[in-house]
Amino acid sequence: MGSDDVTETFGAGFLVRWLAAVAEDVDREADRLTELDSAIGDADHGANLKRGFAAVTEALANEPPATPGAVLTTAGRQLISTVGGASGPLYGTLLRRAGKALGEDGEVTRERLAEALGAGVAAVSQLGGAQVGDKTMLDALVPAVEGLRSSYEEAGAAAEKGALATVPLRARKGRASYLGERSIGHQDPGATSSALLFAALADTARAEGV
């Protein structure tokens, strides 16, 4: 069965490996994320996420959760407790809410994951008061979740496209909004890191044939 088959299921291990891949990608791209953030933010996005996802990987390795929902809940809790600035609560809310939506099922489908992450994205939108077009992580997250309903590959591609689409936008939320017109022409760091999240998901699915 291929990645387009909604009946394909996976357990906790798949999500643990996904988040480990995210940690590796964030570690590799930390300087770039910080560079983007230095233009329109606090210049700490890369360092903060690097620390946060390293802590997530360690927590999941020390006490491997039994269910997909528990993996995401644990990861979200870890991000909230270790990441400073706005990104910790936002990414933490995304994963915790998604984990809660998955419940206690031992196996879930890609479609279920898409629905759960959709619930997480809605919670992020509510927490930050932002929506698509405001030049935030939502510009990558919303299309990514929609793409995930079709395939892992589509999710990764949609997230990357959404992140690139933030360049000409004027920021309406967050620290970047204080810059007004000067925020135009810069890629949003939160959307960029969100794209890394879904690129890692697509890579993990491809590697494992789900």
Side-chain angles (χ1 to χ4, degrees):
M1 288 185 289
S3 62
D4 288 333
D5 191 332
V6 296
T7 62
E8 182 77 42
T9 63
F10 55 83
F14 174 77
L15 294 186
V16 169
R17 291 186 288 277
W18 166 38
L19 293 173
V22 172
E24 290 181 7
D25 288 354
V26 166
D27 183 71
R28 186 185 65 247
E29 298 290 332
D31 289 346
R32 174 173 172 250
L33 292 173
T34 292
E35 184 179 345
L36 291 172
D37 197 33
S38 68
I40 58 175
D42 293 326
D44 59 1
H45 191 59
N48 282 345
L49 284 189
K50 181 177 178 178
R51 180 174 66 252
F53 277 101
V56 166
T57 300
E58 183 178 359
L60 294 176
N62 288 342
E63 289 188 43
T67 65
V71 171
L72 297 185
T73 302
T74 298
R77 189 166 57 242
Q78 199 69 30
L79 288 172
I80 290 171
S81 65
T82 59
V83 179
S87 54
L90 291 169
Y91 272 112
T93 294
L94 171 69
L95 296 180
R96 282 182 67 181
R97 183 65 186 83
K100 183 178 179 181
L102 288 179
E104 298 182 2
D105 292 348
E107 295 276 330
V108 298
T109 62
R110 171 178 48 76
E111 185 70 16
R112 277 286 309 284
L113 180 62
E115 291 174 2
L117 287 171
V121 169
V124 167
S125 178
Q126 184 175 27
L127 178 65
Q131 55 191 332
V132 171
D134 286 343
K135 199 182 182 93
T136 71
M137 62 197 297
L138 290 170
D139 288 300
L141 291 176
V142 170
V145 167
E146 190 59 36
L148 188 56
R149 300 182 192 282
S150 298
S151 71
Y152 294 106
E153 293 291 336
E154 182 61 30
E160 178 64 20
K161 184 178 179 181
L164 292 172
T166 64
V167 174
L169 298 178
R170 174 176 174 167
R172 298 194 186 97
K173 295 292 179 181
R175 176 68 182 271
S177 65
Y178 302 155
L179 297 176
E181 296 289 336
R182 286 180 295 150
S183 65
I184 296 172
H186 298 282
Q187 186 166 320
D188 182 69
T192 305
S193 58
S194 295
L196 290 179
L197 201 73
F198 282 89
L201 180 59
D203 288 343
T204 303
R206 190 183 312 113
E208 302 197 11
V210 299

